[in-house]
Amino acid sequence: MRLLFLGDIVGRGGRQAVAQRLPKLRDDWRLDFVVINGENATGGMGLSGNHARALFEAGADVVTLGDHAFDQKDMLQFCEQEPRIIRPLNFSKVAPGKGARVFTARGGQKVLVAQVLGQVFMKRPFDDPFSAVDAVLRQYPLGGMVQASLIDVHCEATSEKMAMGHFCDGRASVIVGTHTHVPTADAMILPKGSAYQTDAGMCGDYNSVIGMKKDEPLRRFITGMAKERFEPALADVTLSGLYVETDDRTGKATRVEQVRQGGLLFPAGPA
């Protein structure tokens, strides 16, 4: 199976780039399943129902969220109605939506998608991500109930993401980090067969401060004072993410490639 994961979409520029480029990537790379992190897609803070629909129309099979999951209030109801939205597993047990589901790829394969939030350096306390993921992977073992599984690890700390990668190695097809918006140069297949990258990066304008227009973040770093709201940068967008091929029999990864398409970053992707 050929899987594509795209990192955090930032604002209108990120949404438009996905709408323009993803359909061609699906055809050119013969993708079976596409997961996108959309938690910054609406004004850089959260995801609205309308913008989620646009991502599905562009070719996403599943959209994951993150710590900004419910910044757009209509998502509280939308994620209950739309099963293709995945919010973090270790949110409050009374939070709407689901943190893990099994989906059907274009070829009929069953794919588990789950997301967890990290605890290190995060502003709010969340439940233990390791026990949350462990329970889901025990319920849906590779080579059994699912042919592939993808875990979106939404964390600040690279150490926590790497620990989760090794914790899930051999039990998930793909473990990929999100949240920091900067792609890491460590895409690899771990010793027990899982594809891994510490952070997939963002689908946004890299002539920015993690996707936001530069002036206000610079002012806050230099002066310690806020003057205006952060606004997403809207120039040329790079789609950043991870491409993975898996063995349907075992669910293990057989190939992994970083993805960088368009914008300022040096291009990468499957040949």
Side-chain angles (χ1 to χ4, degrees):
M1 194 172 353
R2 295 178 177 88
L3 310 174
L4 176 65
F5 180 84
L6 292 178
D8 311 50
I9 296 175
V10 181
R12 184 180 45 168
R15 299 195 312 271
Q16 290 175 342
V18 168
Q20 292 164 3
R21 300 175 195 166
L22 181 55
K24 188 174 188 303
L25 293 181
R26 283 208 79 135
D27 290 341
D28 290 350
W29 296 347
R30 295 178 294 155
L31 298 172
D32 298 298
F33 200 75
V34 176
V35 181
I36 296 176
N37 183 287
E39 75 137 4
N40 297 124
T42 299
M45 297 288 283
L47 175 67
S48 71
N50 285 339
H51 292 160
R53 292 186 189 95
L55 297 178
F56 292 129
E57 290 171 3
D61 293 297
V62 177
V63 174
T64 57
L65 297 174
D67 56 310
H68 293 292
F70 302 119
D71 283 8
Q72 302 296 320
K73 297 308 178 186
D74 72 327
M75 186 52 63
L76 290 163
Q77 291 185 325
F78 186 83
C79 73
E80 292 275 27
Q81 303 159 3
E82 176 50 80
R84 294 173 293 176
I85 295 286
I86 296 294
R87 51 87 167 159
L89 270 171
N90 53 335
F91 256 9
S92 165
K93 291 179 175 58
V94 300
K98 298 292 184 182
R101 289 185 193 271
V102 174
F103 302 90
T104 302
R106 290 188 173 185
Q109 304 98 325
K110 296 300 182 182
V111 182
L112 168 71
V113 179
Q115 184 186 56
V116 286
L117 290 168
Q119 294 179 310
V120 180
F121 304 136
M122 299 295 275
K123 292 181 180 179
R124 296 191 306 243
F126 301 108
D127 291 343
D128 172 29
F130 290 88
S131 59
V133 166
D134 183 60
V136 169
L137 293 181
R138 287 179 184 274
Q139 185 178 0
Y140 298 104
L142 287 180
M145 296 184 68
V146 296
Q147 282 71 62
S149 54
L150 183 147
I151 311 297
D152 174 353
V153 187
H154 202 73
C155 298
E156 287 279 5
T158 54
S159 57
E160 190 174 16
K161 294 178 189 179
M162 296 187 82
M164 184 64 75
H166 291 294
F167 182 73
C168 297
D169 187 18
R171 300 197 292 161
S173 307
V174 186
I175 307 106
V176 59
T178 54
H179 183 63
T180 65
H181 293 201
V182 178
T184 53
D186 62 344
M188 59 181 155
I189 296 178
L190 295 173
K192 296 178 184 178
S194 297
Y196 174 80
Q197 186 179 6
T198 297
D199 201 289
M202 68 176 175
C203 295
D205 174 10
Y206 280 84
N207 183 19
S208 67
V209 175
I210 61 169
M212 298 296 164
K213 292 179 180 179
K214 293 175 284 188
D215 288 350
E216 182 60 17
L218 283 170
R219 177 185 295 110
R220 295 189 190 188
F221 280 120
I222 293 166
T223 69
M225 295 183 290
K227 182 178 178 182
E228 300 171 354
R229 294 180 60 186
F230 289 156
E231 294 184 13
L234 296 174
D236 200 5
V237 166
T238 303
L239 296 187
S240 300
L242 193 66
Y243 169 88
V244 179
E245 294 180 10
T246 62
D247 181 331
D248 285 351
R249 182 179 60 86
T250 65
K252 304 294 181 66
T254 58
R255 180 182 179 187
V256 60
E257 302 277 354
Q258 289 189 250
V259 170
R260 296 185 298 273
Q261 298 287 307
L264 294 180
L265 299 192
F266 190 82

